[in-house]
Amino acid sequence: MATLGIIGAMDEEIQLLLQGLEATENFSYAGTSFSKGNFHGKEIVVCKSGVGKVNAAMTAQLLIDRFDIGAVWFTGVAGAVDPSLDIGDIVISSSCQQHDMDCSPLGYPVGVTPYQEVSDFPAHLPFIALAQQACERVCTSSSYLTGRVLSGDQFIADSVLIKRFYEEMDGACVEMEGAAVAQVCYRNEIPYVMLRSMSDKADGTASANYSEFSVEAASRSYEIIADMLANYEG
């Protein structure tokens, strides 16, 4: 069974996974810490990328290069874009795309990287199904949907932007790392999936809601990841 890499952007998003690791070995590369061990009998490497697309891309490539990773899951929080989502709900990535890649003056749609075949990176269908099954078991007090995760180097707290992300980019949620990790996985031919729990609605109340609900949302993501690991067959 291939080693599985699990990335979170912040301490809150990985601390429960780290607590559950057995036979742990710790490594540090380029200022990033990696913990390798067993969880539910599966060999995994858990790491914190830090916030933003550059940190996320660097961490994903290090994970793949240093640990011979066969798959990548990303867990954490996000802001809701789809109006049907509420705080605490889950988004499973169907794909990931950058919302702040904008070469529209050159004739490219927003989100499309020039001279690149793919800009909307599809998640691995078996992982999507695994996450959906986990949500059916775990999400007793919240809802989930599968949709496009939008990423950019901005904390979004603007209802006008959210409306545009939903109507023009078909976004389900917005965060700051997913599309960078997805692009690295795509280029390395590594299957991936993103799991995001809504900590806010990315509108004018986002900063207050994020502070209040981010830990709770990260805990819910962990519960789903733990269920996925228990049923993951590699």
Side-chain angles (χ1 to χ4, degrees):
M1 181 183 294
T3 302
L4 172 67
I6 301 180
I7 306 173
M10 301 178 298
D11 289 326
E12 302 95 304
E13 296 170 339
I14 62 168
Q15 63 183 359
L16 293 174
L17 276 170
L18 291 175
Q19 290 171 13
L21 273 185
E22 298 176 349
T24 306
E25 297 178 86
N26 296 309
F27 306 85
S28 181
Y29 301 111
T32 301
S33 296
F34 300 83
S35 296
K36 183 177 182 179
N38 295 310
F39 193 101
H40 283 299
K42 313 300 193 309
E43 185 173 80
I44 67 172
V45 179
V46 180
C47 56
K48 181 182 75 171
S49 66
V51 174
K53 293 185 297 179
V54 173
N55 282 328
M58 180 186 72
T59 300
Q61 192 64 58
L62 284 168
L63 188 61
I64 292 166
D65 289 345
R66 300 283 184 164
F67 297 96
D68 194 26
I69 294 298
V72 172
W73 298 352
F74 199 109
T75 178
V77 301
V81 170
D82 188 307
S84 70
L85 289 167
D86 204 350
I87 292 171
D89 289 346
I90 301 294
V91 171
I92 302 161
S93 63
S94 57
S95 66
C96 293
Q97 186 172 16
Q98 296 180 70
H99 67 73
D100 59 352
M101 173 58 69
D102 186 357
C103 290
S104 53
L106 299 178
Y108 295 92
V110 173
V112 172
T113 302
Y115 318 118
Q116 183 171 288
E117 286 185 7
V118 177
S119 296
D120 183 26
F121 302 98
H124 188 50
L125 290 176
F127 290 168
I128 294 173
L130 187 65
Q132 291 169 335
Q133 292 158 12
C135 285
E136 289 289 340
R137 290 185 286 265
V138 172
C139 296
T140 56
S141 60
S142 58
S143 300
Y144 75 92
L145 61 81
T146 303
R148 179 174 292 143
V149 174
L150 298 179
S151 308
D153 286 320
Q154 300 166 289
F155 183 88
I156 302 299
D158 185 330
S159 58
V160 174
L161 271 180
I162 289 305
K163 187 172 187 291
R164 179 165 69 82
F165 289 164
Y166 181 66
E167 293 178 353
E168 298 179 16
M169 299 190 74
D170 194 27
C173 68
V174 63
E175 38 85 293
M176 300 177 70
E177 297 85 27
V181 171
Q183 181 167 338
V184 169
C185 288
Y186 177 83
R187 295 288 290 271
N188 286 274
E189 299 182 344
I190 299 292
Y192 87 92
V193 73
M194 302 279 153
L195 187 73
R196 291 292 193 175
S197 181
M198 302 302 103
S199 60
D200 60 84
K201 303 198 77 169
D203 57 13
T205 64
S207 58
N209 288 338
Y210 175 84
S211 298
E212 183 176 354
F213 294 109
S214 58
V215 173
E216 178 184 334
S219 177
R220 184 171 286 106
S221 291
Y222 161 77
E223 293 173 358
I224 298 167
I225 288 287
D227 186 280
M228 290 170 67
L229 282 168
N231 293 281
Y232 175 58
E233 297 180 355

